[in-house]
Amino acid sequence: MPSTLDSFSILSSFFIAAGGFFCVIYSLLQTAANRKHETIYFMHAGFFLAIGISILSDAVSRPGTAFLAPALLYVNYPLDYLLPVILYFYIRLLFEEIRLQKVHLLLLLPALLVGMAFLPYYVLPGDVKLMNYPLNDSSWVPVSFIVRYVDYGIFIWMFLSLLLTLYRTYFYLFSGIRQVKGIFIYLSLGGLLAASLIVSNFTENNVHYRINMLFMIALLLSLAFMTVRNPDFYLKIRRKSSEIRYARSQVQSLNLEGIMERIEDLMKLEHLYRDPVLTVEMLSSRLGISRQQLSEIINTRYDQNFKTFINSYRIAAAMEELTENRESTVITIAMDCGFNSKSTFNKVFQETTGMTPTQWRKKKDG
């Protein structure tokens, strides 16, 4: 008869693996459902995919289960260094557009180095991998000597990254955006779990570790449930945070970068270009600047006039709709994207792409 401890180990391993599998399936469904190609939803799906594969890899890397999936052994190590980076950009994208800089590549360096260090092990045949498992007890020199240091570093890296992410979120906590409190609670609980995992890792307490992982699975399941129940959850945060940042910048002076970012948010998040009667006066009113100031910004910063600028968003949306919504007619798509006539749509579309909407759709059909 198995002992109570053995029964707990078996059951917890099953639920942890099931949680990882759920995260992978959920991420694939979220990606398929993201027809508008919103970056934040791709990051949301990417986060769940990475953490799902990491959990599955960790589950099979425990003693007694390694033979089930040799291909997943130690795959979680580089993923665990990548996860905090994904989480950091994931949370930042909730509040603002991110302009990637070269310095951001440094955040990927730990995951890249760990992946390169384990590459000699990853390319081995499955039976050879099992012969040298676990690596920290193996004499296989290329990787075995760094396993313990990498293992300890994972949770420290996660914990520090969570603190940085919490710091980036703190400003918006008192901004009046109701949804931010929920995000802050999730991050805080994640930070506490990361700290607890560090303790269980250093003390090599497997029961403590499994309990923490079960709580982590529960946290992920509740996050997934919340976002499925409220599909516009993230876009609401983006819209409100954009308004707050823009209002703050306008207190000081005419902030060109802030105005351009606000214009982008109004187009991408609120889809103002879909309004067929949108005018420069209407958009300048939303921005809190004069008609002349908006015209100058569009002319000098985008090298376009207002009509061409708005039509560029309309055509981009139409190209996407023509490709993905095969059941919709050309005229329906034209009206939905903000054009008030099919002839105008055809003319602007051909000027932009060099072909008619029908030709574009046939080309995409292959």
Side-chain angles (χ1 to χ4, degrees):
M1 293 290 291
S3 65
T4 303
L5 187 59
D6 289 337
S7 299
F8 172 75
S9 296
I10 294 170
L11 284 173
S12 60
S13 294
F14 171 79
F15 283 113
I16 291 170
F21 184 73
F22 167 83
C23 289
V24 172
I25 298 300
Y26 173 76
S27 70
L28 297 177
L29 292 175
Q30 285 290 295
T31 302
N34 186 15
R35 294 189 175 182
K36 296 298 182 182
H37 301 298
E38 298 284 356
T39 305
I40 182 61
Y41 289 112
F42 280 130
M43 289 295 292
H44 175 73
F47 171 74
F48 271 88
L49 178 63
I51 201 168
I53 295 174
S54 178
I55 290 171
L56 283 172
S57 174
D58 183 75
V60 301
S61 295
R62 296 288 150 180
T65 58
F67 70 94
L68 294 173
L72 288 177
L73 291 176
Y74 296 106
V75 169
N76 59 302
Y77 279 83
L79 280 177
D80 286 345
Y81 277 93
L82 182 62
L83 268 170
V85 181
I86 296 176
L87 180 64
Y88 173 72
F89 286 112
Y90 173 29
I91 297 301
R92 282 198 62 182
L93 273 171
L94 287 176
F95 306 110
E96 58 194 7
E97 287 291 332
I98 300 176
R99 292 176 174 83
L100 292 178
Q101 302 173 3
K102 291 181 179 179
V103 69
H104 289 140
L105 295 176
L106 294 176
L107 296 174
L108 300 175
L109 192 59
L112 181 62
L113 291 176
V114 172
M116 291 175 62
F118 278 88
L119 187 60
Y121 183 78
Y122 295 149
V123 298
L124 292 175
D127 56 342
V128 180
K129 284 184 179 180
L130 291 173
M131 286 174 60
N132 292 280
Y133 174 84
L135 282 171
N136 52 312
D137 293 332
S138 171
S139 58
W140 198 66
V141 178
V143 178
S144 59
F145 75 98
I146 67 168
V147 170
R148 186 169 297 276
Y149 300 103
V150 171
D151 203 20
Y152 289 157
I154 286 172
F155 299 109
I156 297 173
W157 175 247
M158 282 185 173
F159 186 65
L160 292 176
S161 299
L162 273 168
L163 289 179
L164 176 62
T165 306
L166 280 167
Y167 172 77
R168 297 289 306 188
T169 313
Y170 186 75
F171 166 76
Y172 295 97
L173 183 62
F174 305 102
S175 62
I177 305 177
R178 180 174 54 84
Q179 293 87 347
V180 176
K181 293 181 180 179
I183 294 296
F184 197 83
I185 290 172
Y186 274 105
L187 288 174
S188 299
L189 290 174
L192 291 173
L193 283 173
S196 186
L197 282 167
I198 291 173
V199 173
S200 63
N201 200 49
F202 274 104
T203 58
E204 299 183 352
N205 188 327
N206 199 40
V207 173
H208 186 196
Y209 178 83
R210 290 175 184 275
I211 291 173
N212 277 287
M213 286 299 295
L214 289 173
F215 275 111
M216 184 70 75
I217 295 295
L219 194 66
L220 291 169
L221 290 175
S222 64
L223 176 61
F225 176 77
M226 180 188 69
T227 52
V228 168
R229 189 177 180 182
N230 303 285
D232 294 330
F233 178 82
Y234 294 122
L235 293 182
K236 288 178 182 177
I237 296 177
R238 282 288 302 277
R239 289 169 184 164
K240 292 179 181 179
S241 61
S242 174
E243 293 171 1
I244 290 170
R245 289 196 316 277
Y246 185 67
R248 183 178 59 170
S249 70
Q250 291 302 294
V251 171
Q252 300 173 351
S253 63
L254 193 63
N255 185 324
L256 293 179
E257 294 299 323
I259 292 172
M260 291 171 66
E261 184 179 328
R262 178 61 175 153
I263 290 173
E264 189 171 344
D265 285 339
L266 288 173
M267 294 301 155
K268 291 186 175 181
L269 300 179
E270 299 190 26
H271 308 293
L272 286 191
Y273 61 85
R274 295 185 184 274
D275 184 353
V277 296
L278 180 65
T279 63
V280 66
E281 287 84 6
M282 293 167 64
L283 182 55
S284 62
S285 176
R286 289 292 301 269
L287 295 167
I289 60 178
S290 70
R291 177 188 187 281
Q292 291 74 19
Q293 287 173 326
L294 176 58
S295 296
E296 183 178 348
I297 290 171
I298 293 176
N299 291 335
T300 57
R301 294 288 174 148
Y302 296 98
D303 196 25
Q304 295 175 310
N305 59 40
F306 177 77
K307 186 177 181 180
T308 305
F309 176 71
I310 297 301
N311 280 342
S312 67
Y313 282 97
R314 290 170 175 166
I315 293 298
M319 290 164 67
E320 184 177 319
E321 292 292 321
L322 286 166
T323 303
E324 296 186 356
N325 297 333
R326 305 291 181 177
E327 69 283 357
S328 297
T329 63
V330 171
I331 184 62
T332 300
I333 291 173
M335 298 300 179
D336 186 53
C337 292
F339 289 96
N340 51 22
S341 73
K342 185 178 179 180
S343 60
T344 302
F345 174 56
N346 286 338
K347 179 183 176 182
V348 177
F349 194 96
Q350 190 159 12
E351 288 175 352
T352 304
T353 65
M355 61 184 75
T356 66
T358 303
Q359 290 171 335
W360 169 271
R361 177 172 268 177
K362 287 181 179 178
K363 180 182 177 182
K364 291 299 178 180
D365 286 336

